[in-house]
Amino acid sequence: MSVVHETDPEGHHADDRLGRPAALRVRIRRTTRAVLLSGASWRYGLRLALCIGLAQALVSLIAVPRSYWVALTVTFVMKPDFGSVFSRAVLRAFGTALGIVLAALVLAEVPRGWWDVPVMMVLAALIPAFSAAKGYAFQTAAITPVILLLSDTLNHQGFGLVLPRLYDSLIGCGIALVAGYLLWPESWHARIGDRLADAVSDTADYVARAFARQEGSDPHARLRARRALYRDLSTVRSEFQRA
């Protein structure tokens, strides 16, 4: 992967000569161009639009309690990081089921009132703990009872919130799994080989520049090469997560 050096209206390099990020207006221009011209961005937009459209069409034809949960679930599963939609859909369904079991136990055993405060403190503390150590399914399992208890505090519906949350989450995960994953064969495979090859190539370029002592060479090219290498490694990490 080569590093492209833009120029500003005065003809100077847009990249900082010390390898630091370019000016904000330059980064905004680059990001806008990348979004408008990126095929991956357009495909993701089509996938998300299709899933949201199906979710809204379904809840308009079928009476679903709290139908907005379906679209929210689709949005959470179809996160715009080009990660694995399949794993997030399966893990979110599994985590939601676990969280609903926990919420049902709390609603059955804990009297409503001031007892909600210590219970909410304990459940809220599980969110960062599970997020850091256990993964997406357990994070969802920790968030779900907190959301249900907050909804019960506002609406006083108790167990009337449990099954609708389960149904809506499963419907949303199913829509994302079919319309956001199975219909797009290119999303079935991670592009590790190409990304890793780019990282190896840029690593070789960076090492060569780091040990080069040639007269007349750009003294700051090594810093720009290092920034390109960091971007490559971040991309490779994302592809391994997808795999």
Side-chain angles (χ1 to χ4, degrees):
M1 184 180 68
S2 60
V3 179
V4 178
H5 304 294
E6 297 188 23
T7 57
D8 58 19
E10 289 76 24
H12 300 100
H13 282 302
D15 285 322
D16 188 279
R17 287 188 60 79
L18 294 180
R20 292 174 297 189
L24 179 60
R25 57 184 174 81
V26 176
R27 283 181 283 165
I28 292 176
R29 185 168 67 248
R30 289 175 178 173
T31 302
T32 302
R33 184 172 62 246
V35 170
L36 293 178
L37 300 180
S38 171
S41 297
W42 281 101
R43 286 192 297 272
Y44 169 77
L46 290 175
R47 290 166 63 187
L48 181 59
L50 176 62
C51 291
I52 294 294
L54 288 175
Q56 292 302 110
L58 181 64
V59 299
S60 64
L61 296 175
I62 302 175
V64 178
R66 298 184 175 272
S67 58
Y68 61 89
W69 277 342
V70 178
L72 283 176
T73 300
V74 169
T75 304
F76 291 144
V77 172
M78 296 287 296
K79 292 192 331 185
D81 60 356
F82 308 111
S84 175
V85 173
F86 176 83
S87 64
R88 279 202 304 271
V90 173
L91 292 176
R92 186 168 185 87
F94 178 70
T96 300
L98 286 179
I100 284 177
V101 171
L102 180 58
L105 292 176
V106 172
L107 291 172
E109 300 298 331
V110 178
R112 302 278 66 80
W114 285 104
W115 281 105
D116 289 337
V117 176
V119 171
M120 192 70 70
M121 292 175 61
V122 173
L123 293 176
L126 294 178
I127 297 176
F130 283 179
S131 300
K134 299 299 183 181
Y136 187 62
F138 289 93
Q139 177 188 8
T140 304
I143 292 176
T144 298
V146 173
I147 298 298
L148 290 178
L149 291 179
L150 288 175
S151 299
D152 178 61
T153 302
L154 296 174
N155 301 307
H156 305 289
Q157 293 184 344
F159 284 98
L161 297 170
V162 174
L163 289 181
R165 177 60 183 249
L166 178 62
Y167 296 154
D168 294 344
S169 295
L170 293 180
I171 291 173
C173 290
I175 291 174
L177 191 60
V178 174
Y181 176 76
L182 294 179
L183 297 183
W184 306 85
E186 70 273 11
S187 67
W188 301 353
H189 308 287
R191 300 177 295 276
I192 295 178
D194 294 341
R195 302 294 189 261
L196 191 57
D198 290 340
V200 171
S201 176
D202 284 344
T203 300
D205 179 60
Y206 170 67
V207 171
R209 292 180 183 276
F211 290 95
R213 293 294 185 269
Q214 298 179 358
E215 294 294 334
S217 61
D218 185 356
H220 305 298
R222 177 174 59 88
L223 299 178
R224 290 193 291 268
R226 184 173 63 186
R227 289 182 55 212
L229 177 58
Y230 286 163
R231 289 193 294 267
D232 287 343
L233 294 177
S234 176
T235 302
V236 170
R237 180 175 180 271
S238 297
E239 291 298 330
F240 271 109
Q241 287 179 335
R242 291 185 67 238

